[in-house]
Amino acid sequence: MARGNPMPVPWGQGKDGMGMALLVVALGGNALLRAGERGTAAEQARHLDEVAPALAALVLGGHRLVLTHGNGPQVGNLLIQQEEAVRLVPPMPLDVCGAETQGLIGYLIQSRLWGALRAAGSDVPVVTVVTQVLVSETDPAFRNPTKPVGPFFSPERARGFMVERNWLMREDAGRGWRRIVPSPEPLRILELDAVRALVEAGAVVVCAGGGGVPVCERQGRLEGCEAVIDKDLASALLAADLGADRLVILTDVERVAIRYGRPDEERLDRVPVSRLRRFQAEGHFPPGSMGPKVEAACRFVERTGREAVIGHLDDAARAAEGVAGTVVVPEEE
Ligand code: ADP
Ligand code: MG
């Protein structure tokens, strides 16, 4: 084992075993960009520098780490570049743009975490895996697209896209016309064995970025889909299939709340999954934001009997230990 690195610990030991060995940590949008920023590489590197020491400390503390991340603003900017340069170079389809953002963000994470690990005395490698995620052609989401992607367009340009590219476009609250794509269920992480092998070899792995590139299988071939998979749902699938000890979803609120934003709001601390499911059924978690995180946490806990945490990026280290954020636990304690 290389200098400064902890002894490898088998994972999947749960609470009673040799400690929490494998963490899947999903980084929310605020790990890379904040409201009002333009999306420069320097901005994103700076935000990653803020969280990298906490991630490095987890590695030094003996955890194996698999990182996932969102890509909304990054793929949005890339789609603008496709359309603005359409007379010069061919625009790439959504699946290819998604793969490009996995490389972009993966590279930035590799770069910033490398520095934090070296500063902490570790030479653990950080590796990005461009990840494809299998979806079903018959997923009902393909008949009911819900996810807005990319820039806002004038009604004239929107009409052009609808006719020439067969895009579904929708008017978005007076801000212009936006493309809407399906958000199908993630079924299988195609690079799962490669990710596992890298983790076993001691690497920190960045994968399933932006939820992974959605692909369908047709007669033994893979075809990229014009769709977007939710990154938290993909992270839950990845974590369960890897046998991770804990799923940690880092976002920009300290805890999941019921009656969120109201004077009688209540922040949840440790919550049994059945209780969280009841709050979910009562409609406390909206689809575009907290909904998929709660669904992801519940799925992981129900499938594995282990804990999932939803917490603030600034509490990364403590959330990963299960002592900050909302900790979703298997049954009533
Ligand atoms: P990320 O980009 O970090 O993956 P989102 O921005 O999609 O996450 O979702 C996080 C947001 O969810 C928070 O900023 C918060 O405003 C919102 N939110 C909605 N409902 C709730 C709730 N019940 N409890 C906590 N936060 C909520
Ligand atoms: Mg966000």
Side-chain angles (χ1 to χ4, degrees):
M1 198 69 190
R3 171 184 51 83
N5 299 324
M7 281 295 291
V9 180
W11 73 76
Q13 304 293 315
K15 276 201 268 207
D16 312 309
M18 301 176 70
M20 294 299 159
L22 176 61
L23 304 171
V24 170
V25 178
L27 301 171
N30 60 329
L32 293 155
L33 287 171
R34 307 285 156 87
E37 289 178 336
R38 295 178 57 236
T40 66
E43 284 166 344
Q44 303 186 61
R46 185 160 49 77
H47 292 307
L48 287 171
D49 276 338
E50 290 161 16
V51 68
L55 299 176
L58 290 171
V59 175
L60 267 290
H63 295 294
R64 299 166 189 259
L65 213 53
V66 172
L67 300 171
T68 67
H69 58 82
N71 72 345
Q74 293 79 10
V75 83
N77 284 358
L78 201 51
L79 291 168
I80 292 175
Q81 289 172 340
Q82 306 308 303
E83 295 316 322
E84 292 308 309
V86 77
R87 270 170 233 90
L88 303 174
V89 286
M92 292 292 139
L94 188 56
D95 58 322
V96 177
C97 288
E100 285 189 41
T101 66
Q102 290 187 354
L104 184 174
I105 298 167
Y107 158 66
L108 289 173
I109 295 174
Q110 286 180 207
S111 157
R112 305 335 283 175
L113 193 50
W114 189 93
L117 284 164
R118 295 314 176 273
S122 164
D123 62 2
V124 161
V126 186
V127 183
T128 299
V129 175
V130 173
T131 310
Q132 305 175 92
V133 176
L134 192 70
V135 301
S136 167
E137 275 183 285
T138 59
D139 191 307
F142 285 106
R143 279 177 276 118
N144 177 31
T146 52
K147 179 86 184 149
V149 291
F152 295 92
F153 294 104
S154 67
E156 296 73 44
R157 273 193 96 184
R159 203 165 305 122
F161 290 133
M162 289 192 263
V163 174
E164 287 152 33
R165 294 200 212 160
N166 207 17
W167 286 2
L168 179 67
M169 307 285 298
R170 203 169 282 161
E171 218 273 332
D172 191 319
R175 292 186 292 177
W177 287 74
R178 229 175 154 196
R179 186 175 179 198
I180 310 286
V181 298
S183 186
E185 277 291 324
L187 299 179
R188 195 151 59 83
I189 311 285
L190 291 182
E191 287 76 18
L192 187 77
D193 291 342
V195 171
R196 185 182 286 118
L198 286 164
V199 173
E200 277 170 357
V204 173
V205 182
V206 182
C207 64
V213 180
V215 297
C216 288
E217 200 182 331
R218 280 193 202 113
Q219 285 137 15
R221 286 173 177 278
L222 295 178
E223 274 177 42
C225 301
E226 298 279 311
V228 171
I229 300 173
D230 180 82
K231 77 113 174 34
D232 295 309
L233 297 183
S235 303
L237 178 68
L238 171 76
D241 285 353
L242 275 177
D245 295 278
R246 187 175 278 147
L247 170 66
V248 184
I249 299 175
L250 299 177
T251 180
D252 57 1
V253 286
E254 273 170 41
R255 292 209 165 99
V256 180
I258 51 170
R259 300 179 295 275
Y260 178 69
R262 292 183 12 194
D264 59 346
E265 163 182 315
E266 187 188 324
R267 297 180 180 188
L268 304 172
D269 182 5
R270 285 179 81 79
V271 58
V273 64
S274 53
R275 188 153 178 255
L276 192 59
R277 283 288 194 199
R278 283 200 294 279
F279 292 140
Q280 182 189 43
E282 289 166 14
H284 289 277
F285 316 121
S289 56
M290 195 44 77
K293 295 181 203 313
V294 165
E295 177 63 29
C298 288
R299 286 185 190 181
F300 177 77
V301 175
E302 287 163 351
R303 260 194 68 189
T304 65
R306 297 181 188 145
E307 297 175 357
V309 184
I310 301 172
H312 198 290
L313 184 74
D314 294 346
D315 292 331
R318 294 190 323 120
E321 304 286 355
V323 295
T326 296
V327 183
V328 186
V329 301
E331 67 262 343
E332 305 277 350
E333 289 172 307

